[in-house]
Amino acid sequence: MARLFVSATSQNVGKTTTSVGLFAMMRERGLAVHFIKPIGQRYLVRDDVKADEDAILIRDYFGQAGTLADMSPVTIPRGFTERYVYERDRAAIYASIDGAMGRIDAGVDVTIVEGTGHAGVGAVIDASNADVAAHLGARVIIIASGGIGSAIDEICLNRALFAQAGVEVIGAIVNKVLPEKYDKVAKAVRQGLRNQGIEPLGVVPFVSALTLPTVRQLSEELGFRVVAGHDHLDARVNNTIVAAMTPQNTIAHIRAGTFVITPGDRVDNILVSIATHLVGKLKDRAQVAGILLTGGMTPDPTIMELLEESHVPVLLSDEDTFKASSRVERLTVKIRPADREKVRVATELARKHVSLDKILAAIGVGDSRRPQ
């Protein structure tokens, strides 16, 4: 049994997509593979259990055996960190992790252990990524975001923290490289990592489809109320516009999958969004993904009826347009179990750009190639 710890140089650089891709590829090779997120910072309540979102994704999409409580043994609720600094209990944290690992590891070839952020995240509760990886005797891969200098610098910095904890870093993956710069960056990154004695395990291009939310995700993540189009919330949002302009200018900015944010009393822009959507459906052109009404205002019931009949999902926020649009732009989009296309894309990217053979060899796992 081998333990592979997936770490990163910061948040939102692709740990989850990498873990998903590795999990899928290992299964395709016939390996028995399990997943655990020892410390979860973003959690949901599922089956009366607080579980990290990534654990829920792996369990629900891949059907991993075992319980969510074991896949996500420690979650960090609001206020936990402040309490911990006064009431340290390292033993309790690691007892939960060890108990879960003992059950997760049973009968598997590889356990993928996903970290949280950079190597030092969690130090405040005596459970940094470096500490947890050392405790578990796991080998580490580091994920960094696209670029050359900053990516290599950050990988080296994180490797130093793991080395200080006595943890072996088997290599690094540079993710989200702009496609137009891919060839140049990939060549330079591979050489730059080798110059530092770090094995390049993959260079993965940026794919915008992995970063796009659905209207349902905007509603659930940001607390917007659904007031129309309840059956069409899975529309994919490709771009967002703030429709505080004149209607003719609003039309010019609407393209396929546009999410329109407008004050609830701007009936002109609401109607032009409906019209553009319906014409788009008729002529196979740009269709509106959804509309967010701001200021806590909904238009006249006759307009609301039109919105419902247009099948455009409509959300409502009590915030002003600036605050609501700012939160939409800042939203970090996580892959969910229902995002089958995103899982497919993540897996295909890993197959094409990540060297699974090098990873398996580095953690001492043979390629069984048993059919699933």
Side-chain angles (χ1 to χ4, degrees), residues 65-81:
T67 67
L68 279 177
D70 284 342
M71 295 176 69
S72 180
V74 178
T75 54
I76 310 299
R78 186 181 298 275
F80 177 88
T81 300

Side-chain angles (χ1 to χ4, degrees), residues 182 185-195 198 200 202-203 353:
Y182 181 83
V185 171
K187 181 179 179 181
V189 159
R190 290 190 179 102
Q191 185 60 52
L193 288 172
R194 292 190 184 103
N195 290 347
I198 300 170
V203 182
H353 299 285

